[in-house]
Amino acid sequence: MEDKALKVLIIEFNSQNIMKIKNILSKPSSGVSYEVSWAQKEENVLKRVEEGGFDVVLLSYDLPGANGLEILSDLKYKDLQGPAIMMADKGDEEFATQAMRQGAYDYVIRDKGFENGLPLVILNALNTFRAARERERLQKEIAAKKVELEAANRKLKELDRIKSDFVANVAHEFRTPLTIIKGNTDMVIKGRLGNVTPEQKEMLDGAVSVANRLARLVNDLLDISKIESGKMQLKKEKVDINKIIDENLKAFTKTMKDKKQVLQKELAKDMPEITADMDKTTQVFINLLSNAIKYSPEGGSITIKSVNLEKEIMVEVSDTGEGVAPENIDKIFDKFTRVTAEKKEGTGLGLPIAKDIVVLHNGRMWVKSEKGKGSNFYFTLPK
């Protein structure tokens, strides 16, 4: 067990018992050797134990002028390197429970041949002691790490709060100038400040397109800020999901026609009205539909389904786009993450916002996808 000898201290005033123990421990057992010391005279045994660096202490229960249990009790407050093992004569067995309760790792009854079993008792007690010390060390280490992690977590939360506040403030600062830019540009395009040539209109239309894209980014950032801070409020009312689908499909008809995309629509005829935030539910559907159109190739197909389930309604938006690799499925709803190799216009916030809105409604959102075979997005809302 050890290359070096185990240091054993015997606190025992019976010379015969000391010699029996010394003799049995002088014989190597299981590759273990011992360096045996003993305290036989009345002396400060506590100081001897503390300063001796012993691996094991064999302590007699009955000591002239002293009580082994009292010494054992005092040893609990010392920084021992190893276990204490109590010894007593036959007839004193009742002390064993008390001894174990006060810190002994084992006990030995000194009947005939008791010394023969000591090497095994010592090794077992030593293993138990070391295991207990290791558990104690690990518990302290875990406690210290927990304190560090809690401190780091508090710091991260504070940094995240600062980041969210900063993003929200910047987005608010952008909103007003963008509104002015869009309004003034629109006024020029409509000829209210004079005639506009085709070349000028083309440039102004480009400026409006860029301003609209920035406005969408600002709105996404504000939505994320509200969600993260818990400030997004739902204005619930009676909502017909099929109506939302039909009304918003019209806005994308030209885009799909330009890309020669085929639309398939399968809406449940028994779809009930639900209680939800109409604007935000519309936002979720538009996000999924616009993504399907964006990532489906020219000539591809898009399928919209609504299903009336037992306790919720479900909407499915499927496309025939490039799909998502299995290793990226879990990342698809992460903020600012784009899992496709092809760069597309957008912030990478649409899907995370959509999922957060659905979750705020106590609904669910998930995706099934296969690389090269398109994607199926689903969301449910409770009835």
Side-chain angles (χ1 to χ4, degrees):
M1 186 174 183
E2 296 280 349
D3 293 329
K4 66 177 184 178
L6 293 176
K7 294 181 68 176
V8 178
L9 175 66
I10 307 170
I11 303 176
E12 165 69 82
F13 290 174
N14 186 310
S15 298
Q16 286 186 327
N17 287 337
I18 292 175
M19 291 308 298
K20 287 179 182 180
I21 297 170
K22 186 174 181 299
N23 288 338
I24 196 68
L25 295 183
S26 66
K27 303 172 184 178
S29 174
S30 301
V32 180
S33 58
Y34 301 88
E35 179 186 319
V36 181
S37 304
W38 57 90
Q40 191 175 13
K41 297 178 181 179
E42 292 184 8
E43 56 182 278
N44 191 337
V45 292
L46 294 176
K47 186 176 180 182
R48 177 86 180 274
V49 170
E50 195 171 23
E51 295 179 353
F54 296 101
D55 297 300
V56 180
V57 175
L58 297 174
L59 174 60
S60 179
Y61 170 64
D62 49 342
L63 297 169
N67 185 314
L69 288 175
E70 292 176 358
I71 295 175
L72 178 64
S73 182
D74 291 335
L75 287 177
K76 287 194 301 184
Y77 303 102
K78 304 296 180 182
D79 185 19
L80 302 182
Q81 289 187 202
I85 300 171
M86 290 291 293
M87 300 182 296
D89 294 327
K90 195 167 185 179
D92 291 328
E93 289 91 339
E94 69 275 4
F95 86 97
T97 302
Q98 189 176 354
M100 298 293 284
R101 191 165 54 246
Q102 291 188 199
Y105 275 77
D106 209 338
Y107 63 91
V108 175
I109 301 299
R110 287 178 302 211
D111 52 7
K112 186 176 181 180
F114 78 92
E115 68 276 10
N116 295 319
L118 270 179
L120 181 59
V121 171
I122 288 173
L123 292 181
N124 286 341
L126 195 56
N127 285 333
T128 303
F129 177 88
R130 288 175 175 172
R133 281 296 176 91
E134 180 63 11
R135 281 197 303 272
E136 184 181 342
R137 184 190 68 78
L138 289 174
Q139 287 170 351
K140 289 180 179 178
E141 187 175 315
I142 290 170
K145 292 293 182 185
K146 184 180 178 182
V147 171
E148 290 179 17
L149 286 172
E150 287 174 347
N153 191 43
R154 286 193 298 272
K155 186 174 182 181
L156 285 173
K157 284 183 177 179
E158 178 62 16
L159 289 173
D160 191 57
R161 185 193 64 77
I162 293 171
K163 179 267 297 178
S164 295
D165 289 347
F166 174 77
V167 169
N169 290 334
V170 170
H172 277 295
E173 290 297 322
F174 269 110
R175 176 175 272 180
T176 300
L178 278 172
T179 302
I180 295 171
I181 291 170
K182 287 170 63 179
N184 290 345
T185 306
D186 186 58
M187 189 182 299
V188 174
I189 291 173
K190 290 178 178 178
R192 293 179 183 176
L193 300 179
N195 293 331
V196 178
T197 67
E199 292 81 5
Q200 290 171 332
K201 184 176 184 304
E202 183 179 352
M203 294 184 69
L204 290 169
D205 285 341
V208 170
S209 176
V210 171
N212 286 332
R213 182 158 58 88
L214 287 176
R216 289 194 297 271
L217 170 60
V218 167
N219 289 332
D220 282 349
L221 291 174
L222 287 172
D223 280 343
I224 284 292
S225 177
K226 287 177 184 177
I227 291 168
E228 289 182 342
S229 63
K231 294 178 181 178
M232 178 171 277
Q233 301 295 322
L234 299 179
K235 298 177 182 177
K236 292 191 174 183
E237 57 185 304
K238 290 295 182 180
V239 170
D240 183 339
I241 196 69
N242 284 351
K243 187 176 180 182
I244 288 177
I245 292 171
D246 280 330
E247 288 182 351
N248 286 281
L249 277 173
K250 297 173 185 176
F252 291 91
T253 301
K254 184 179 183 304
T255 305
M256 285 187 281
K257 187 176 180 181
D258 290 343
K259 293 187 71 172
K260 299 181 176 61
Q261 292 173 339
V262 178
L263 173 67
Q264 299 180 49
K265 188 172 64 171
E266 301 174 24
L267 305 185
K269 294 181 179 179
D270 61 343
M271 183 63 68
E273 286 189 333
I274 61 170
T275 302
D277 186 311
M278 182 174 290
D279 290 340
K280 293 196 168 40
T281 302
T282 302
Q283 183 179 349
V284 171
F285 174 68
I286 289 176
N287 179 273
L288 295 184
L289 178 60
S290 60
N291 274 356
I293 294 170
K294 183 191 301 182
Y295 289 104
S296 287
E298 188 169 321
S301 65
I302 294 163
T303 303
I304 311 295
K305 294 180 182 180
S306 67
V307 184
N308 182 17
L309 302 176
E310 184 179 354
K311 295 182 179 180
E312 54 191 359
I313 59 101
M314 183 179 76
V315 175
E316 176 185 352
V317 180
S318 306
D319 63 63
T320 55
E322 59 190 271
V324 182
E327 64 271 16
N328 290 327
I329 287 289
D330 292 338
K331 304 175 186 175
I332 204 163
F333 295 109
D334 290 347
K335 298 178 182 66
F336 301 103
T337 299
R338 196 181 298 282
V339 298
T340 57
E342 183 183 356
K343 290 185 178 180
K344 299 282 186 182
E345 181 184 304
T347 62
L349 293 173
L351 285 175
I353 291 171
K355 184 171 184 178
D356 283 338
I357 289 173
V358 170
V359 171
L360 277 174
H361 281 84
N362 295 317
R364 301 174 291 133
M365 177 177 281
W366 68 98
V367 59
K368 292 180 182 178
S369 185
E370 188 175 343
K371 191 68 175 173
K373 295 186 178 181
S375 302
N376 297 58
F377 284 86
Y378 306 82
F379 73 89
T380 67
L381 296 172
K383 290 181 178 178

